[in-house]
Amino acid sequence: MNIINISKQKIFDNKNQIYAYELVFMDGSNNEAGLSSKVKGTAQLIMSSIANKELDKLLGNKTVALVNVDEEVLLKGILDVLDKDRFILNILENIDLTENVLAKIIQYKKRGFRLSLEHFDSSAHMLSKFNRLFNYIDIIKMDIVLSEPENLEKVMAKFKGGRVKLLAQNIETKEDLKKYTDMGFDYFQGYYLDKPEVMEIVGSKEPAQFIILQLIKIIKDNNSTEQLEFFIKKQPDLSYKLIQFFNNSRSFNVRIESLTQVITLLGRDKLLRWLLVYLYSETSKNPASKSILALAIKRAQRMEAEAEPKKKDKAYLAGMFSMLSSIFETDIKELMYHIDMDSDITSLVLEKKGIFAPSLLRAEKAEKEYLKKMMLENFEKLHTADLIYTLEYSGVEIDKSKL
């Protein structure tokens, strides 16, 4: 079970109503951790957790959340999966503002994300550093502890009453709250108002394979694009990996940024085939997965060629699905029940029955003839333990007295 510790702290508006929560990801010792390399590769898992049903548990139904981001997170594209209406990208004060980072920040703004600046100390250095971003920033979190009073007043004079909202950060006393309320701040955050609460949320329990199969089922059932988008948004880690997979394939002349873009470029039938290839090649832990993938594709193509015109697509899927037991460590019956696939495909996978069974049996016969030839030609190279494992796995009883 993947347990993630997240600290959340309330942010209030000038009417003392909760405006947002700031989410901070904690390491195993409940110390603050970054959202990139510091969490040792769990950023996508974290995003998966905070972008699905756990979100309402964290925030309630309507409240927004500030998520701290640095240059690494911005450039990796991990944030692409977040709901722009629920999350504000909180830019860390020590971010390295390269041209690429600036362009990415502006890109997120154009997509509709709100942006905030963290721990702004009101110094001339800060004003200079973020000068090119102020036209895109929505909230400046002014650190009242780090800011010199004179500098703070200058920044207030520059932004007060304009488009940019100002947040007084580190409100520690009742006097602090009154002072900065009277100065005209829009939002307030600090220990006096709310102490951070550490919560445990559970990461996704479903293996990537199951999620991909659910996606295949949704596409095959011809659900609307809106339903497909809704499912994908709930599985951002999958979305992120699939987009990487499509981009690395170099089969498109444009850069892929979303699965809905893939749907537009490919169409649903081709997307289904891509997903099955991904399922075999990218999620399998089987060391023979590349050979199994090649065999599955060859089998699917053979069955597709033999099927009548209206059933060719289904025949291809049936051929690909017929090899799934080789890459899943779970019972294949449980798997097929879990995804509730088409009855023709299910009966073929579980019982080798149905309209595609004759085609499957012909494909298996041809495959076995080739593999038998390969086994005999290379028999002396095979390890005894591997032979025993193969026989016993296939239900062949070995006479131990003859070993």
Side-chain angles (χ1 to χ4, degrees):
M1 182 179 295
N2 297 309
I3 301 295
I4 302 165
N5 293 324
I6 294 184
S7 167
K8 68 173 188 176
Q9 185 178 30
K10 295 172 184 174
I11 295 172
F12 294 86
D13 62 21
N14 52 19
K15 295 180 181 178
N16 202 33
Q17 299 297 309
I18 298 174
Y19 166 70
Y21 289 95
E22 180 174 359
L23 301 184
V24 178
F25 307 106
M26 317 300 288
D27 63 18
S29 304
N30 273 357
N31 296 315
E32 181 175 336
L35 187 57
S36 51
S37 57
K38 294 179 184 176
V39 291
K40 297 180 181 179
T42 63
Q44 292 158 36
L45 173 62
I46 291 169
M47 286 301 173
S48 178
S49 299
I50 66 173
N52 62 21
K53 62 185 178 182
E54 294 286 345
L55 184 59
D56 287 343
K57 176 182 173 182
L58 277 168
L59 307 178
N61 293 325
K62 297 181 179 179
T63 315
V64 298
L66 278 72
V67 180
N68 296 342
V69 299
D70 61 12
E71 64 277 4
E72 185 174 356
V73 173
L74 282 162
L75 294 177
K76 278 187 174 180
I78 296 170
L79 303 169
D80 292 354
V81 301
L82 292 183
D83 183 345
K84 62 182 175 57
D85 297 320
R86 302 288 320 259
F87 290 92
I88 297 172
L89 307 185
N90 192 35
I91 300 167
L92 295 179
E93 70 280 9
N94 58 354
I95 190 169
D96 184 9
L97 285 179
T98 63
E99 291 301 318
N100 286 341
V101 172
L102 283 166
K104 195 68 176 178
I105 291 171
I106 293 170
Q107 183 183 79
Y108 279 119
K109 179 62 179 178
K110 289 180 177 178
R111 288 183 188 175
F113 279 94
R114 285 166 287 179
L115 306 173
S116 61
L117 288 180
E118 175 71 7
H119 285 304
F120 194 84
D121 66 9
S122 307
S123 65
H125 170 72
M126 279 284 199
L127 286 168
S128 175
K129 177 177 180 177
F130 293 104
N131 182 54
R132 294 172 63 185
L133 278 183
F134 287 133
N135 287 336
Y136 306 97
I137 296 298
D138 298 279
I139 301 171
I140 299 177
K141 298 180 66 182
M142 298 174 64
D143 192 318
I144 63 171
V145 174
L146 296 178
S147 296
E148 294 290 338
E150 182 180 347
N151 291 340
L152 188 145
E153 289 175 7
K154 287 180 180 179
V155 174
M156 283 289 296
K158 179 179 176 67
F159 293 105
K160 183 178 177 181
R163 182 189 60 81
V164 178
K165 302 299 181 184
L166 301 172
L167 183 153
Q169 189 172 13
N170 288 329
I171 299 291
E172 305 294 336
T173 65
K174 182 178 180 180
E175 290 71 28
D176 284 342
L177 179 60
K178 184 178 186 310
K179 175 181 177 181
Y180 293 101
T181 300
D182 291 344
M183 287 182 67
F185 275 85
D186 302 288
Y187 304 116
F188 307 88
Q189 180 183 8
Y191 273 51
Y192 172 72
L193 297 167
D194 182 56
K195 292 183 179 179
E197 174 188 4
V198 178
M199 298 182 64
E200 286 187 348
I201 62 173
V202 180
S204 175
K205 297 178 182 178
E206 292 185 299
Q209 294 100 322
F210 281 96
I211 297 172
I212 294 172
L213 289 170
Q214 287 176 326
L215 180 56
I216 290 170
K217 176 69 167 54
I218 289 171
I219 297 171
K220 189 61 183 171
D221 285 349
N222 203 29
N223 285 300
S224 67
T225 301
E226 289 76 15
Q227 288 173 298
L228 182 56
E229 289 177 357
F230 179 76
F231 179 83
I232 291 170
K233 283 182 178 179
K234 288 166 59 181
Q235 314 296 343
D237 188 46
L238 167 66
S239 180
Y240 175 75
K241 288 177 180 177
L242 280 173
I243 289 169
Q244 279 191 319
F245 178 70
F246 286 120
N247 282 329
N248 291 340
S249 71
R250 297 183 180 180
S251 294
F252 304 109
N253 293 323
V254 296
R255 185 77 178 168
I256 301 299
E257 295 185 353
S258 70
L259 284 184
T260 50
Q261 185 183 1
V262 174
I263 296 168
T264 302
L265 289 169
L266 284 180
R268 294 188 175 217
D269 289 336
K270 287 185 179 179
L271 176 60
L272 281 173
R273 300 185 184 209
W274 271 87
L275 288 172
L276 284 164
V277 170
Y278 178 86
L279 186 64
Y280 280 94
S281 64
E282 298 295 317
T283 70
S284 175
K285 296 180 181 178
N286 191 320
S289 60
K290 289 184 179 179
S291 296
I292 292 171
L293 169 62
L295 180 60
I297 292 175
K298 185 81 176 287
R299 178 184 292 185
Q301 291 172 341
R302 184 195 302 264
M303 292 175 64
E304 179 185 31
E306 293 180 359
E308 58 184 83
K310 290 184 178 180
K311 294 181 179 178
K312 285 187 177 294
D313 286 331
K314 189 189 286 189
Y316 183 93
L317 288 180
M320 291 292 283
F321 268 83
S322 68
M323 295 289 293
L324 284 183
S325 60
S326 64
I327 62 170
F328 281 89
E329 296 178 357
T330 187
D331 181 71
I332 195 65
K333 290 182 179 180
E334 178 186 342
L335 170 68
M336 297 307 291
Y337 174 79
H338 183 82
I339 59 172
D340 189 26
M341 184 50 73
D342 180 281
S343 59
D344 289 329
I345 295 175
T346 301
S347 61
L348 181 77
V349 174
L350 297 184
E351 305 172 284
K352 293 189 178 180
K353 293 181 179 179
I355 61 174
F356 300 118
S359 183
L360 173 64
L361 294 175
R362 285 191 292 271
E364 287 185 334
K365 182 179 179 181
E367 293 159 5
K368 287 181 178 179
E369 286 177 356
Y370 169 73
L371 293 173
K372 179 181 179 180
K373 181 175 179 290
M374 289 290 292
M375 288 276 286
L376 292 175
E377 290 178 355
N378 296 278
F379 189 80
E380 297 301 325
K381 300 177 182 178
L382 302 177
H383 293 286
T384 302
D386 291 336
L387 292 170
I388 293 172
Y389 175 80
T390 301
L391 290 169
E392 291 199 341
Y393 183 79
S394 301
V396 178
E397 186 173 347
I398 297 174
D399 185 345
K400 297 177 178 58
S401 66
K402 295 183 179 181
L403 289 175

